[in-house]
Amino acid sequence: MIRALVTATTALAALAGLAVLLGTGSWRCAMRVLLDLLTAAGLLRLAGGQGWTALAAAAAIVLLRRLLWAALTASGPAGPPGRLRHPPAPAPDAAG
């Protein structure tokens, strides 16, 4: 049962990532959705097999997700997600 749920979650993660990419046009947003849902699939897999191997696999998935996201956000001009840019300074008033 859990194996089928993990497979379905993985397939739906790919579809959700594609839908976000097509809907927003932002590959970073789509990658974030895909990585989060693949992490969920890894955690579901952990619920099925409670051995050390399953725990190591889930930890590796979480670590890879964090490393990949850190690499993607460090290379972009927009900066880390969630940070607001400073608003532009107001133009000087010509009247005064």
Side-chain angles (χ1 to χ4, degrees), residues 1-88:
M1 175 67 180
I2 296 223
R3 186 176 298 240
L5 188 58
V6 169
T7 303
T9 303
T10 303
L12 290 174
L15 289 175
L18 183 62
V20 170
L21 179 63
L22 294 175
T24 65
S26 170
W27 66 270
R28 286 181 187 219
C29 188
M31 183 64 71
R32 184 72 181 220
V33 168
L34 177 66
L35 291 174
D36 284 344
L37 291 174
L38 289 178
T39 301
L43 293 175
L44 285 172
R45 183 177 298 130
L46 180 62
Q50 280 133 28
W52 288 105
T53 305
L55 180 61
I61 289 170
V62 171
L63 178 66
L64 286 173
R65 177 199 166 276
R66 294 193 51 110
L67 289 174
L68 181 59
W69 187 248
L72 288 173
T73 57
S75 66
R83 288 186 74 181
L84 297 176
R85 294 184 189 149
H86 294 292

